[in-house]
Amino acid sequence: MSSDTRLLMAVRVVVVTTLLLAALIIQYTVAEVLPLNYLYTTAGVTFALTLVYIALAMTVPSRSINLAVQVAGDLVIETLLVYFTGGLDSPFSFLYLVSVITASTLLYRRGGLLAAAGASIGYGVLVDLMYYGVLPMPEQSMFLPTAWSASRLYINMGANFAGFYATALLTSFLSEKLKRASAELDVNRQNLAELRALNQNVIESIPSGLITITPQSIASFINPAGAAILEAQPLAILGRPITELGFFTTEEWAEARERLDQGRVVRNEIHDAEVAGHQRSIGFAVSPLTTLEGMSAGYTLIFQDLTEMKKLEAELRLKDRMAAVGELSAGIAHEIRNPLAAIAGSVQILKNSKSLSQQEQRLMSIVLKESERLNKSISDFLRFVRPQEKKPIAFDVAASLSETLDLLANSSELNERHAIQREIAPPSFPLVGDADLIRQVFWNIARNAMQAMPNGGVLTVRTQVDNGSYKIVFADNGRGMSHADIQRLFQPFRTNFPSGTGLGMAISYRIVQEHGGRIEVASTEGVGTAITVALPVN
Ligand code: ADP
Ligand code: MG
């Protein structure tokens, strides 16, 4: 049952019952006997019809049919009432208007016009039948009967009909307008809700950080990605001045605002941003935020964590550079080798000549010895720069590490003030790779650590296995490296050690990379260095 069907029934029952009670009270309090029987009849018919409406509403779901039947029933009751109260003389003909208005409001123009037609027919037929004496005049009329003339009959009917139709047209016009307006409002409300949800989703799901800044330079909103990049709770960001968030100093922000207020976008990258204790690279752009009306509403700050990207970029650049340098130096080394062989061969022949003095013989020997040494250096160098094809086999990486450290402990790199502390557990660990090359890496890194501690110190070598990689940490308490030194650590021919070539770390990097691993560096100037080699476990 629709709500207006029910409401209409309830209103009708309440009105009729009130009327009935009033009549009863009057009947028993006023001495003279009023002709009120017709009221009881009307009320009885109304109640009976109400039962019919309920039954209909329970069997026929259509709202308009239910309403139409009720309005029709009301018209019948109204006609009855008008008849009992004197037809043309009845003051109750206005009740038709109530039905016309009800129909116009609930069923719009068609319902209103049909109700007006129904009322006109009911009223017209009734008064005509009464006028021509087909229907007898009711006996109990409370109202004094007047003389009915034909002209009065037609004027009365005409006025009433005009009233019915005018009311129907006006009321249905207004209610249709109301219906359209409320439908439009619904659509707008729906659109607005959808738009808001979309905005919300976009902001919550973009991987970039987003902070909105009020015209007073206070952070007023941060999205989840933003909070994740800054490793902070949103509440720790909101309400704080933008200059406290690490993107701008006070002066930089003043400068940026000047540009923003000219409608420009401010972009920047910071490479030493402190985020929750570690350094990150963050790229960001600030732009003016305007409302739909074009008013300034502050600024938006969009930012991204570029740390990983920068790292990859640096690795790529390094790889490129190493490849180029490697090719070039290998070429030069070859070019030296051929003339060197010719020189050595010629000197060998000269040396065999019998006419040479003792002194000359000795000089020739030096030339030969030195060219041999040079040749060996070149061979070593070539082996480093153009490492031989790696031959992966299963080998014990922990044992290789221990052997390399044994070798170092017995080499001239160590003196009595040096110590090597080993924390190698488990003592045996299988990996697949080129054992000779990996040993070379260990040697290079451990030897650097010794060279970084010319006045003595401890090299701690620790191993650990975690999420799919075997890690070896070489930690020394030597002189450490500056930020710039760390950046250049893997670049070939950069050396700070007295007898260095600057190739050790470059070659190590290449070998580890060819094994699918990584080298990480942590170093503080004057404190020490920790180099971690991570090799994939397969
Ligand atoms: P080389 O040992 O021939 O100088 P490397 O490539 O092995 O070349 O090292 C390059 C440079 O990196 C070194 O000259 C030194 O300045 C720096 N370095 C490497 N390891 C360390 C360390 N453990 N502590 C301090 N500086 C280091
Ligand atoms: Mg070295």
Side-chain angles (χ1 to χ4, degrees):
M1 206 184 291
S2 81
S3 63
D4 28 20
T5 322
R6 216 173 320 157
L7 182 70
L8 194 56
M9 281 195 248
V11 169
R12 184 182 309 109
V13 167
V14 167
V15 168
V16 170
T17 312
T18 315
L19 222 71
L20 199 59
L21 286 175
L24 284 171
I25 290 168
I26 292 169
Q27 185 100 62
Y28 289 102
T29 50
V30 179
E32 73 183 282
V33 176
L34 284 171
L36 288 176
N37 285 349
Y38 68 92
L39 253 185
Y40 304 138
T41 315
T42 318
V45 173
T46 309
F47 290 137
L49 278 178
T50 302
L51 292 180
V52 174
Y53 301 153
I54 292 174
L56 182 74
M58 280 159 68
T59 45
V60 180
S62 160
R63 166 183 174 272
S64 46
I65 289 182
N66 276 290
L67 290 174
V69 168
Q70 289 192 40
V71 170
D74 285 347
L75 290 175
V76 169
I77 292 169
E78 281 147 15
T79 308
L80 266 180
L81 198 63
V82 169
Y83 172 61
F84 287 132
T85 50
L88 272 192
D89 295 324
S90 168
F92 288 126
S93 57
F94 78 89
L95 280 179
Y96 285 117
L97 287 181
V98 176
S99 289
V100 171
I101 290 173
T102 309
S104 310
T105 319
L106 298 179
L107 296 169
Y108 307 111
R109 173 161 309 167
R110 212 150 72 103
L113 289 177
L114 280 173
S120 303
I121 291 169
Y123 187 70
V125 168
L126 175 76
V127 292
D128 269 334
L129 290 180
M130 287 169 83
Y131 179 75
Y132 291 110
V134 181
L135 270 178
M137 282 293 162
E139 281 163 25
Q140 301 171 311
S141 175
M142 288 197 289
F143 308 98
L144 285 183
T146 51
W148 288 27
S149 64
S151 60
R152 187 168 160 239
L153 176 72
Y154 293 125
I155 288 176
N156 202 323
M157 271 170 39
N160 270 306
F161 293 178
F164 298 157
Y165 280 100
T167 307
L169 286 173
L170 192 66
T171 313
S172 61
F173 171 72
L174 289 177
S175 73
E176 269 175 20
K177 205 166 163 182
L178 194 70
K179 179 171 84 164
R180 267 199 305 277
S182 82
E184 255 166 44
L185 201 67
D186 272 355
V187 169
N188 284 344
R189 200 175 288 147
Q190 173 80 10
N191 286 348
L192 196 68
E194 274 169 18
L195 199 65
R196 195 172 283 163
L198 178 73
N199 272 343
Q200 190 76 9
N201 284 343
V202 168
I203 288 170
E204 305 268 306
S205 7
I206 48 169
S208 303
L210 171 72
I211 292 179
T212 59
I213 305 164
T214 64
Q216 292 76 36
S217 308
I218 304 291
S220 54
F221 170 84
I222 181 165
N223 71 343
I229 293 172
L230 298 181
E231 292 184 39
Q233 291 299 314
L235 281 182
I237 305 280
L238 298 182
R240 278 175 61 192
I242 186 65
T243 46
E244 283 181 12
L245 300 184
F247 294 96
F248 296 97
T249 62
T250 315
E251 299 83 60
E252 283 169 347
W253 177 240
E255 224 172 87
R257 274 188 75 161
E258 246 168 60
R259 291 180 50 192
L260 286 166
D261 292 342
Q262 293 163 10
R264 289 171 37 203
V265 178
V266 175
R267 284 174 221 279
N268 203 358
E269 279 181 15
I270 30 179
H271 297 294
D272 49 0
E274 272 272 322
V275 173
H278 33 255
Q279 285 207 338
R280 315 242 82 187
S281 291
I282 290 182
F284 63 89
V286 196
S287 43
L289 179 65
T290 43
T291 62
L292 284 180
E293 293 80 34
M295 303 282 290
S296 164
Y299 314 95
T300 52
L301 169 68
I302 294 179
F303 54 101
Q304 264 130 357
D305 188 344
L306 303 178
T307 315
E308 280 307 305
M309 214 179 77
K310 290 278 160 199
K311 217 158 143 186
L312 285 178
E313 218 178 87
E315 270 176 26
L316 269 178
R317 257 205 315 268
L318 181 65
K319 230 165 136 180
D320 241 33
R321 190 167 172 151
M322 279 176 59
V325 170
E327 286 303 312
L328 185 69
S329 25
I332 293 173
H334 260 298
E335 289 308 307
I336 296 173
R337 222 182 202 178
N338 292 338
L340 189 65
I343 292 170
S346 310
V347 171
Q348 184 72 53
I349 294 167
L350 284 178
K351 189 171 169 250
N352 292 340
S353 150
K354 305 224 162 51
S355 58
L356 289 180
S357 69
Q358 197 83 1
Q359 171 72 351
E360 286 165 335
Q361 283 275 353
R362 211 170 58 78
L363 289 176
M364 296 271 177
S365 294
I366 290 175
V367 172
L368 281 178
K369 206 169 87 227
E370 287 304 309
S371 18
E372 202 171 302
R373 208 161 72 90
L374 185 55
N375 192 35
K376 187 175 171 301
S377 295
I378 290 173
S379 297
D380 284 353
F381 175 68
L382 278 177
R383 207 172 57 233
F384 285 149
V385 179
R386 269 218 295 240
Q388 64 272 50
E389 277 298 291
K390 82 179 159 78
K391 300 176 202 80
I393 43 155
F395 72 105
D396 185 342
V397 64
S400 294
L401 180 62
S402 298
E403 283 162 26
T404 312
L405 294 178
D406 287 343
L407 230 117
L408 187 71
N410 294 313
S411 76
S412 59
E413 303 289 345
L414 249 74
N415 61 38
E416 63 282 1
R417 282 173 302 182
H418 284 130
I420 299 180
Q421 189 180 329
R422 306 180 192 204
E423 297 171 16
I424 302 173
S428 161
F429 195 90
L431 272 189
V432 174
D434 190 316
D436 283 342
L437 295 180
I438 295 291
R439 230 180 258 129
Q440 179 78 56
V441 171
F442 295 158
W443 173 263
N444 288 350
I445 296 174
R447 203 171 75 120
N448 279 352
M450 289 305 161
Q451 290 175 340
M453 303 186 289
N455 303 318
V458 183
L459 165 64
T460 308
V461 181
R462 203 171 30 243
T463 66
Q464 69 199 66
V465 187
D466 68 8
N467 54 47
S469 62
Y470 183 82
K471 289 186 173 171
I472 310 107
V473 185
F474 298 85
D476 66 60
N477 47 14
R479 63 178 197 212
M481 279 178 276
S482 68
H483 192 65
D485 280 341
I486 296 175
Q487 300 282 306
R488 287 193 298 253
L489 177 62
F490 298 113
Q491 292 179 8
F493 308 118
R494 304 267 187 179
T495 177
N496 286 330
F497 291 146
S499 61
T501 60
L503 277 169
M505 288 308 286
I507 290 161
S508 304
Y509 182 87
R510 189 166 179 158
I511 294 173
V512 170
Q513 196 160 53
E514 277 171 3
H515 281 79
R518 290 182 75 106
I519 302 186
E520 276 156 29
V521 191
S523 185
T524 312
E525 221 168 351
V527 177
T529 303
I531 309 252
T532 305
V533 178
L535 295 167
V537 175
N538 19 50

